[in-house]
Amino acid sequence: MPRIANIETGLYRIPLPITLSDSTHGDMTAFELITCRIRDADGAEGVGYTYTVGRNGGAVADILKREIPPLVEGREADDTEAVWHHVWWGLHYGGRGGPAVLALSALDIALWDLKARRAKLPLYRLLGGFDAHVPCYAGGIDLDLSVDALLRQTDGNLAKGFRAIKMKVGRPDLKADVARISAMRQHLGDGFPLMADANMKWTVEEAIRAARAFVPFDLTWLEEPIIPDDVAGHLRIMQAGGVPIAAGENLRSLWEFKNYIASGAVSYPEPDVTNCGGVSAFMKIARLAEAFNLPVTSHGAHDITVHLLAACPNRSYLEAHGFGLDKYIEHPLVLKDGLALAPDRPGHGIGFDWKGLAKLA
């Protein structure tokens, strides 16, 4: 088997076409893209990436550039499990989460891309394959939009082929959130999949009150009502709120997801492949959810994650994230009748415009 020869790291600041906002992160004008290109001794290459909402990308890139290469160079490129554990424990004392696990995620994605390319298989088939057609929703980052602007955005997403929509909640006045959800439900009609995301805005009691107020609008789920550290709080909301709960985009390991899933504190586990530990960790989280008869959803990085959910019999919805890379990749996500299509190109199939990105380094 070929050995890892070298790693190349990139850090880019991607401007957003419009300012996005949610209840916790505030206004976002750009996101940081951190890339990892791995080459083996035969010259084959795999590409991975992670991202931030605007800060700490330098720390992630530094770990990829300075700390990880001595841990992995010369190791077997196909031994993804061995490499993952070696890096996890190598960074554990000063890492265990934060920038270290984002860096590990990018590395692991690159290794799986390399493995699938060498096998001449699309990633979802290498991971087992289930169904290349994955239900997909448009993840709106739209808390500060007026109701009229929110509905116009929704019409634009419907025109693109989306058949499920997520909106932001968490305004200072709960009545404003209720009015916006009510307008969306009336606009979309009964039965149309509608999700709401609070981005950790509330206390447990506030979240229970909000969830109960949202019950008449038949939400598919209420996402991240409180901070991710409070597993018991999520369980209380599940028991008292009357609305399914999605959570996990801010969890950083299989073991953190285990605490949620085994406690009955989540309806839809929601890993992000770029921050939970990569493909290796994402698939373990999905299998753990399957063992508890739970549907798994996703956060971010839809161009990669479509492959992962295409290999999961318990997948629910893929999120088409607001931080898209369409301007900088050769083949953006393809949507047909509300379903995202996992591409048949070898690996994850993402071809970056490296020259275009270089202008944003």
Side-chain angles (χ1 to χ4, degrees):
M1 290 185 287
R3 295 182 180 272
I4 298 170
N6 61 74
I7 297 175
E8 181 180 340
T9 301
L11 173 59
Y12 312 95
R13 190 168 185 85
I14 311 295
L16 292 165
I18 60 172
T19 299
L20 302 177
S21 60
D22 66 30
S23 65
T24 301
H25 301 102
D27 290 343
M28 293 167 278
T29 60
F31 68 97
E32 294 173 307
L33 173 71
I34 305 97
T35 59
C36 176
R37 301 170 75 177
I38 291 181
R39 298 180 186 91
D40 66 21
D42 293 340
E45 181 179 277
V47 177
Y49 74 85
T50 186
Y51 69 94
T52 79
V53 298
R55 294 180 177 86
N56 287 342
V60 180
D62 188 63
I63 292 169
L64 272 170
K65 186 176 182 178
R66 186 161 60 92
E67 305 291 350
I68 286 180
L71 291 170
V72 302
E73 287 174 357
R75 298 185 69 93
E76 300 285 359
D78 278 348
D79 291 347
T80 47
E81 193 71 18
V83 171
W84 193 98
H85 281 271
H86 188 64
V87 173
W88 173 265
W89 290 109
L91 301 178
H92 186 268
Y93 189 82
R96 191 171 175 271
V101 76
L102 270 69
L104 173 57
S105 299
L107 172 80
D108 187 77
I109 292 166
L111 285 172
W112 277 98
D113 182 43
L114 174 60
K115 182 185 288 192
R117 289 191 191 191
R118 290 187 64 93
K120 297 180 172 59
L121 288 172
L123 180 57
Y124 79 92
R125 291 195 184 279
L126 185 68
L127 294 171
F130 178 72
D131 186 351
H133 301 75
V134 181
C136 184
Y137 73 84
I141 305 178
D142 47 33
L143 184 67
D144 289 335
L145 294 184
S146 68
V147 171
D148 287 343
L150 177 64
L151 298 183
R152 287 196 301 271
Q153 174 184 270
T154 298
D155 287 338
N157 284 325
L158 294 175
K160 293 175 185 176
F162 288 102
R163 296 296 177 263
I165 302 286
K166 187 173 79 179
M167 61 181 291
K168 296 294 187 183
V169 293
R171 287 197 165 198
D173 181 3
L174 178 57
K175 289 182 180 178
D177 282 335
V178 172
R180 289 162 64 81
I181 292 179
S182 177
M184 280 286 278
R185 174 52 71 205
Q186 185 175 0
H187 190 70
L188 295 169
D190 293 340
F192 189 99
L194 175 62
M195 302 83 161
D197 185 356
N199 289 108
M200 309 172 286
K201 174 66 174 178
W202 299 312
T203 66
V204 174
E205 295 303 326
E206 289 170 338
I208 291 171
R209 181 167 172 254
R212 288 173 173 171
F214 299 158
V215 167
F217 306 109
D218 188 27
L219 293 180
T220 302
W221 68 63
L222 174 61
E223 186 171 325
E224 280 205 312
I226 61 173
I227 58 173
D229 315 86
D230 189 355
V231 180
H234 278 83
L235 178 58
R236 286 178 57 198
I237 299 164
M238 287 271 289
Q239 293 172 334
V243 175
I245 299 298
E249 71 180 74
N250 282 291
L251 302 183
R252 297 292 182 259
S253 73
L254 169 67
W255 302 284
E256 290 183 356
F257 275 92
K258 182 268 293 183
N259 291 336
Y260 266 80
I261 291 170
S263 299
V266 64
S267 311
Y268 290 84
E270 183 193 13
D272 184 324
V273 67
T274 69
N275 69 29
C276 74
V279 175
S280 296
F282 186 105
M283 296 307 295
K284 291 177 183 179
I285 293 162
R287 304 308 187 212
L288 177 64
E290 182 182 6
F292 280 81
N293 199 28
L294 292 177
V296 66
T297 182
S298 67
H299 176 265
H302 49 257
D303 303 291
I304 297 170
T305 315
V306 65
H307 283 278
L308 312 190
L309 293 186
C312 294
N314 60 321
R315 80 314 181 54
S316 57
Y317 287 95
L318 170 74
E319 177 182 38
H321 199 248
F323 294 169
L325 293 169
D326 290 7
K327 288 180 62 176
Y328 302 99
I329 59 176
E330 186 177 357
H331 301 286
L333 186 71
V334 175
L335 199 68
K336 183 178 180 181
D337 298 328
L339 302 173
L341 307 183
D344 275 330
R345 298 181 297 277
H348 52 50
I350 301 171
F352 279 101
D353 174 11
W354 296 111
K355 291 183 178 179
L357 283 173
K359 300 174 184 177
L360 304 173

